[in-house]
Amino acid sequence: MLNTEQIRKDFPILSRTVYGKPLVYLDNAATTQKPVCVVDKITEGYYHTNANVHRGVHFLSQEATDAHEAARRKVQTFIHAASPAEIIFTRGTTEAINLVASSFGGAFFEDGDEVILSEMEHHANIVPWQLLQHRRKIKLRVIPVLENGELDMEAYRSLFNERTRFVSVCHMSNVLGTVNPVKELVGIAHRHQVPVLIDGAQSVPHLPVDVQSLDADFYVFSAHKIYGPTGIGVLYGKEKWLGQMPPYQGGGEMIAHVSFEHTTYNELPYKFEAGTPDYIGTTALAEALGYVSAAGLSRIAEHEQFLLRYATEQLLAIDGLRIYGTAREKGAVISFNVKDIHHYDMGMLLDKLGVAVRTGHHCAQPLMRRFGIEGTVRASFALYNTQEEIDVFVAALKRVVAMF
Ligand code: PLP
């Protein structure tokens, strides 16, 4: 069992008030709050070890480089990658997907090739592929989402043909909470010799991830959704792919030799890390991963699943409330609407009662279209949320609904 009382002490922001009410923070799928140890790591980095990494001969630069590279190894072990060379630091999930679409797609796709996405993708896993369409006339094929929020696996199988070059799907939906059978998705694609990118933005904070066991070709996530800082994220890629892919951006760090006639590139992972990296951010990310490991991913999952079940039960008791996403495998996210009350109005009124939820399309407009809606209210839970907070949330929602 997680000791949430103790855990909450690690997150000072949770004890603040909004509009004179205790804050109930249920917007964790957008970003999580940060524990003291992560914020301290950032402060300590700037106060004690700040120096630009790599190439520096002096003491501080060496210390900063060691911490930065230790962070890379921490990420490697956290997601069970085979080598630190397969861990590329990016600004986040979005940049990681853009990198793969641009570099892999630009190098290996030809006009008429096809990429399979799903109907539940975040815009970050749709638009980079559309941008690529300006360079290659690729076709996007879409796996439909069933009424319960699961992927239509039969339809997925039928999308493959001789022009299929890539599959890019999320591990867990930020709207429906659906945890996709990614190992099966990868297995099917590999039988067609098609590589797969898994968008792990929502899964990494909630589920143990083993990229080798999943046999993922690429796996991406953002630090800020797993109690780490903003502006840093990870692209995992199999060395066999990264080695063949051209650089995404040019500049310092990613070069071996530069002349006006010819430039050669650095080895992995630096080939994909142009410019000064966010070395303070990487060490803070490693700290966050350490925090999660110490709490225990299985304990976190157990706690969040309890909150999910409890909140679902309580919400369904509200007349006219519909939950979008009832998949058998589901993470701690609940999207809902109540009758024809506008999601925005519910969100705004909940806010006045101290409850922070997200409203809108959640950067998943095609999914909204699938369900014939413009948006939902979304409550999403993290390791520090409590049963009492859900009671406050549900009571507040009942008050809000009664106003209409
Ligand atoms: N993919 C999914 C499933 C997400 O939920 C998000 C963020 O909400 C993203 C991608 C984009 O993440 P970021 O904005 O951190 O790059």
Side-chain angles (χ1 to χ4, degrees), residues 19-37:
Y19 308 110
K21 308 263 185 329
L23 169 69
V24 175
Y25 185 79
L26 302 180
D27 193 17
N28 296 288
T31 199
T32 52
Q33 300 302 344
K34 321 302 172 200
V36 169
C37 63

Side-chain angles (χ1 to χ4, degrees), residues 15 73 87 104 109 189 217 285:
S15 53
R73 290 192 298 278
I87 305 297
F104 191 101
F109 296 170
D217 298 278
L285 163 61

Side-chain angles (χ1 to χ4, degrees), residues 384-404:
Y384 40 63
N385 289 122
T386 64
Q387 188 174 8
E388 292 73 37
E389 286 186 308
I390 296 198
D391 289 336
V392 172
F393 159 51
V394 173
L397 183 63
K398 283 180 180 163
R399 270 183 70 184
V400 168
V401 170
M403 288 180 205
F404 288 89

Side-chain angles (χ1 to χ4, degrees), residues 17-18 50 60 80 99 123 131 146 167 189 199 205 216 222 251 256 258 304 342 347 350 358 373:
T17 54
V18 293
N50 181 49
L60 273 190
H80 301 95
L99 189 164
H123 298 161
L131 289 175
L146 300 170
V167 174
D199 171 356
S222 300
V258 177
E304 291 174 345
H342 200 277
L350 283 170
R358 188 140 295 242
I373 51 179

Side-chain angles (χ1 to χ4, degrees), residues 176-201:
L176 307 166
T178 309
V179 177
N180 288 320
V182 282
K183 194 164 177 162
E184 196 184 339
L185 288 160
V186 171
I188 293 166
H190 283 180
R191 259 173 259 138
H192 295 272
Q193 281 79 50
V194 172
V196 182
L197 179 148
I198 298 172
D199 171 356

Side-chain angles (χ1 to χ4, degrees), residues 111-370:
D111 289 356
D113 284 350
E114 297 185 3
V115 172
I116 298 178
L117 310 176
S118 92
E119 207 171 17
M120 67 170 78
E121 296 312 313
H122 188 282
H123 298 161
N125 195 22
I126 300 173
V127 185
W129 304 103
Q130 292 175 328
L131 289 175
L132 181 61
Q133 286 175 320
H134 296 302
R135 292 160 60 197
R136 301 277 181 278
K137 291 191 179 56
I138 57 163
K139 194 166 163 195
L140 302 183
R141 307 293 305 272
V142 182
I143 315 166
V145 168
L146 300 170
E147 200 56 22
N148 69 353
E150 293 180 5
L151 288 180
D152 183 338
M153 294 298 283
E154 273 317 301
Y156 172 60
R157 282 189 184 84
S158 72
L159 288 177
F160 286 88
N161 62 47
E162 69 287 349
R163 298 313 304 262
T164 312
R165 291 290 172 270
F166 206 85
V167 174
S168 194
V169 286
C170 63
H171 196 162
M172 176 174 148
S173 161
N174 65 314
V175 178
L176 307 166
T178 309
V179 177
N180 288 320
V182 282
K183 194 164 177 162
E184 196 184 339
L185 288 160
V186 171
I188 293 166
H190 283 180
R191 259 173 259 138
H192 295 272
Q193 281 79 50
V194 172
V196 182
L197 179 148
I198 298 172
D199 171 356
Q202 294 296 335
S203 43
V204 159
H206 308 288
L207 313 165
V209 169
D210 182 329
V211 290
Q212 291 188 79
S213 152
L214 294 176
D215 205 15
D217 298 278
F218 300 94
Y219 197 100
V220 299
F221 67 96
S222 300
H224 71 98
K225 293 189 198 280
I226 183 163
Y227 314 104
T230 52
I232 188 87
V234 171
L235 161 64
Y236 158 80
K238 281 184 183 166
E239 211 164 337
K240 74 164 180 182
W241 294 125
L242 294 175
Q244 298 177 58
M245 286 159 56
Y248 173 54
Q249 292 180 331
E253 209 70 65
M254 52 72 74
I255 59 95
H257 299 283
V258 177
S259 72
F260 282 111
E261 292 70 37
H262 183 65
T263 291
T264 53
Y265 308 128
N266 203 342
E267 60 190 16
L268 289 175
Y270 311 108
K271 183 171 87 172
F272 291 103
E273 293 181 349
T276 298
D278 181 3
Y279 50 85
I280 302 284
T282 58
T283 54
L285 163 61
E287 190 68 27
L289 298 181
Y291 185 85
V292 166
S293 299
L297 265 169
S298 57
R299 274 196 295 267
I300 294 173
E302 192 189 339
H303 175 70
E304 291 174 345
Q305 285 296 314
F306 166 75
L307 296 178
L308 177 67
R309 276 194 307 275
Y310 182 70
T312 302
E313 238 170 62
Q314 301 296 309
L315 288 173
L316 286 176
I318 296 175
D319 185 37
L321 186 143
R322 172 172 177 193
I323 289 177
Y324 297 91
T326 52
R328 287 161 293 180
E329 296 291 326
K330 183 173 171 176
V333 172
I334 307 182
S335 279
F336 64 88
N337 277 319
V338 185
K339 296 177 192 151
D340 54 359
I341 308 173
H342 200 277
H343 49 88
Y344 181 74
D345 292 337
M346 281 190 279
M348 242 176 38
L349 291 167
L350 283 170
D351 176 51
K352 298 289 181 292
L353 298 169
V355 181
V357 291
R358 188 140 295 242
T359 62
H361 54 63
H362 315 296
C363 295
Q365 285 182 339
L367 184 66
M368 296 296 116
R369 217 159 292 131
R370 152 72 182 82

